[in-house]
């Protein structure tokens, strides 16, 4: 206990040196917490939007991944058969069928633009922000025929207005040409600009246009909670057998890459700030060695053992770690908490995102007590490790 008191007293003997060391620890811990919260927020954002786009579980034909690149609707599955089979599921869930296809849109022969089309049923609105993204006009009326929702980019490119008649030209499942006219009832805008190059019609209209009555390209299933996603996937696989491709949302395309990458990035962030803090603390302690050689010599002459000297210096590192980590989690945690409420706007940064990924333009960093506890413990451990070698050297 006496040696710890000596360690604590020594910290405040050189206030400038102590202030410098504590500043680095506070900054390192603070930025680590903010970094963890930021990437946690991005992961939550991607998770939610990916689930909205594919469902917790996506059911497709076995050759869907290959043909979906060319938006070939011949890769489809029977809508009613899947629906009837999934009615046997014991796990609580919701579901919807979607037809995804490519098309050429034009109001007149002068302007023609490619667009990504979706045929949707009423239940689709439960899992998508499409309805909330409409800034002009109305949503589709599923009791009416030949209505279309147009993305903002297509609207500008085709010079469309509400009530305009748009012609959709596309290929059917047997590769024949099909065209039909639709009335524009609304315009929508997503944060990801590439998604605004798309359009929506009713599922029945897409069946007629593509000549795939009773079939969909994707069947999406939504679990009632995250814990039930894995068992739900297993149960769907057991019911459908090997006739279909059943995938969880985190195993599909871009989402799979990001979900696996972000935890690694989080670890790198911690490592970088950990090394930065550790090097600075170690450098400070090395300076202490040269400043206190005579003092250590006097202590040895007075009978203080090497172990006691090592303990005193290690105690200084411990106190620096505790004090610095404490103020680090206070400052970093406060900033993270504020950002988690106000959000951070990404502006036009989303324009480069893949078209199959929908992200909100405002990221809300994740405030998690676990981040604070982990950073606090890491700060103390780093401070001790950075002090160990200089303390060992001076004690001998």
């Amino acid at each position: 206990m006496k040696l710890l008191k000596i360690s604590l007293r020594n910290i405040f003997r050189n206030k400038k040196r102590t202030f410098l060391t504590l500043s680095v620890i506070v900054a390192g811990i603070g930025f680590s917490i903010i970094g963890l919260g930021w990437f946690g927020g991005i992961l939550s954002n991607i998770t939610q939007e990916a689930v909205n786009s594919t469902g917790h579980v996506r059911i497709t034909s076995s050759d869907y991944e290959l043909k979906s690149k060319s938006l070939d609707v011949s890769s489809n599955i029977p809508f009613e058969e899947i629906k009837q089979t999934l009615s046997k599921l014991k796990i609580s869930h919701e579901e919807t069928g979607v037809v995804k296809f490519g098309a050429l849109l034009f109001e007149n022969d002068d302007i023609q633009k490619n667009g990504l089309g979706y045929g949707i049923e009423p239940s689709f609105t439960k899992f998508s922000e499409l309805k909330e993204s409409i800034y002009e006009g109305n949503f589709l009326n599923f009791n009416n025929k030949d209505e279309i929702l147009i993305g903002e980019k297509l609207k500008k490119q085709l010079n469309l207005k509400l009530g305009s008649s748009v012609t959709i030209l596309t290929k059917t499942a047997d590769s024949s040409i099909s065209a039909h006219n639709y009335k524009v009832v609304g315009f929508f805008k997503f944060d990801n600009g590439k998604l605004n190059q798309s359009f929506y019609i009713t599922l029945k209209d897409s069946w007629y246009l593509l000549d795939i009555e009773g079939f969909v390209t994707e069947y999406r299933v939504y679990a009632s909670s995250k814990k039930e996603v894995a068992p739900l996937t297993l149960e769907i696989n057991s019911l459908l057998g090997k006739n279909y491709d059943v995938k969880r949302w985190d195993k599909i395309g871009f989402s799979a890459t990001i979900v696996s990458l972000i935890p690694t990035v989080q670890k790198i962030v911690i490592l970088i700030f950990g090394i930065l803090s550790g090097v600075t603390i170690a450098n400070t302690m090395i300076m202490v060695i040269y400043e206190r050689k005579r003092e250590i010599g006097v202590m040895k002459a007075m009978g203080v053992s090497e172990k006691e000297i090592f303990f005193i210096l290690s105690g200084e590192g411990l106190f620096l770690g505790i004090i610095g980590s404490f103020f680090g989690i206070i400052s970093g945690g406060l900033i993270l908490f504020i950002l988690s409420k106000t959000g951070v706007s990404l502006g036009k940064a989303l324009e480069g995102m893949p078209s199959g990924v929908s992200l909100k333009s405002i990221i809300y960093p994740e405030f998690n007590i676990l981040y604070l506890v982990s950073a606090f413990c890491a700060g103390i451990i780093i401070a001790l490790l950075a002090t160990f070698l200089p303390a060992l050297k001076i004690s001998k």
Side-chain angles (χ1 to χ4, degrees):
M1 193 66 181
K2 184 179 180 180
L3 296 178
L4 286 176
K5 288 181 179 180
I6 296 174
S7 297
L8 185 60
R9 183 193 63 193
N10 288 342
I11 289 176
F12 298 102
R13 290 178 60 185
N14 191 323
K15 295 181 180 180
K16 290 183 179 180
R17 183 180 64 221
T18 299
F19 177 78
L20 174 63
T21 306
L22 289 178
S23 296
V24 173
I25 298 175
V26 170
I29 297 300
F31 281 114
S32 296
I33 291 171
I34 295 171
L36 287 171
W38 172 251
F39 287 107
I42 292 178
L43 182 60
S44 297
N45 190 315
I46 290 176
T47 299
Q48 184 59 49
E49 297 303 314
V51 169
N52 289 343
S53 300
T54 65
H56 284 111
V57 183
R58 188 191 69 184
I59 304 168
T60 62
S61 63
S62 56
D63 61 352
Y64 180 79
E65 292 289 349
L66 178 63
K67 292 187 176 182
S68 64
K69 295 179 181 179
S70 60
L71 298 174
D72 188 345
V73 295
S74 65
S75 177
N76 53 55
I77 53 179
F79 178 67
E80 289 297 335
E81 182 181 320
I82 298 292
K83 194 171 187 178
Q84 187 175 0
T85 303
L86 295 187
S87 65
K88 300 175 184 178
L89 288 171
K90 298 178 182 179
I91 299 175
S92 177
H93 69 284
E94 293 187 85
E95 55 198 60
T96 189
V98 176
V99 173
K100 188 176 178 181
F101 62 100
L104 186 67
L105 292 81
F106 55 91
E107 185 181 18
N108 53 60
D109 294 334
D110 297 330
I111 305 176
Q112 300 178 0
K113 293 295 179 181
N114 291 318
L116 179 63
Y118 293 90
I120 59 174
E121 58 175 327
S123 60
F124 180 85
T125 58
K126 296 180 182 180
F127 321 110
S128 170
E129 295 180 349
L130 175 62
K131 207 167 187 177
E132 292 74 23
S133 300
I134 295 175
Y135 64 90
E136 186 179 354
N138 302 307
F139 194 68
L140 296 172
N141 186 336
F142 290 92
N143 295 320
N144 295 339
K145 291 183 178 180
D146 304 336
E147 291 187 349
I148 187 170
L149 282 173
I150 299 286
E152 185 190 41
K153 277 194 174 181
L154 283 176
K155 174 195 174 183
K156 293 180 178 179
Q157 292 170 348
L158 297 172
N159 297 319
L160 298 176
K161 297 180 181 179
L162 289 177
S164 297
S165 178
V166 177
T167 302
I168 295 181
L169 181 66
T170 187
K171 288 197 305 182
T172 64
D174 60 3
S175 297
S176 60
I177 300 300
S178 176
H180 197 74
N181 295 327
Y182 295 87
K183 178 184 177 182
V184 178
V185 295
F187 300 106
F188 63 85
K189 180 181 179 181
F190 285 113
D191 291 330
N192 184 345
K194 290 186 178 180
L195 296 181
N196 297 322
Q197 192 78 23
S198 59
F199 61 91
Y200 292 81
I201 59 177
T202 67
L203 185 60
K204 290 183 178 180
D205 280 346
S206 69
W207 285 348
Y208 176 80
L209 176 67
L210 301 164
D211 195 21
I212 53 171
E213 181 72 30
F215 288 83
V216 293
T217 57
E218 298 180 10
Y219 201 91
R220 303 172 182 178
V221 184
Y222 298 82
S224 57
S225 67
K226 293 181 180 179
K227 294 180 180 179
E228 295 181 342
V229 174
L232 181 64
T233 307
L234 291 174
E235 193 173 350
I236 291 174
N237 265 314
S238 65
L239 286 173
L240 296 177
K242 298 181 179 180
N243 298 324
Y244 302 97
D245 185 20
V246 179
K247 283 188 176 181
R248 280 173 29 177
W249 70 271
D250 55 351
K251 303 297 181 182
I252 301 173
F254 183 79
S255 300
T257 303
I258 291 297
V259 169
S260 61
L261 182 62
I262 285 184
T264 302
V265 175
Q266 286 181 315
K267 292 176 182 178
I268 293 174
V269 170
I270 295 175
L271 181 63
I272 290 174
F273 286 112
I275 292 175
L276 175 63
S277 301
V279 169
T280 304
I281 296 170
N283 183 60
T284 303
M285 295 309 297
I286 289 173
M287 287 191 298
V288 170
I289 292 176
Y290 292 101
E291 291 179 1
R292 298 168 63 184
K293 278 186 177 180
R294 293 183 179 181
E295 177 186 340
I296 299 301
V298 172
M299 292 173 65
K300 284 189 174 183
M302 295 175 62
V304 180
S305 67
E306 291 183 356
K307 288 184 178 180
E308 289 175 326
I309 294 173
F310 175 78
F311 190 85
I312 290 172
L313 296 176
S314 297
E316 292 181 25
L318 174 64
F319 285 123
L320 286 171
I322 292 175
I323 297 171
S325 297
F326 175 76
F327 286 104
I329 64 171
I330 294 297
S331 58
L334 180 60
I335 294 173
L336 180 60
F337 179 77
I338 294 173
L339 292 177
S340 70
K341 299 299 180 182
T342 60
V344 179
S345 177
L346 297 180
K348 295 184 178 181
L350 294 178
E351 292 182 356
M353 295 297 289
S355 58
V357 180
S358 176
L359 286 178
K360 295 179 180 177
S361 61
I362 299 179
I363 299 293
Y364 291 90
E366 181 184 24
F367 181 81
N368 192 326
I369 296 297
L370 182 61
Y371 294 158
L372 275 64
V373 175
S374 300
F376 181 76
C377 295
I380 296 174
I381 293 172
I382 290 171
L384 280 174
L385 291 176
T387 307
F388 179 79
L389 290 177
L392 186 62
K393 182 177 181 179
I394 195 173
S395 64
K396 294 183 179 181

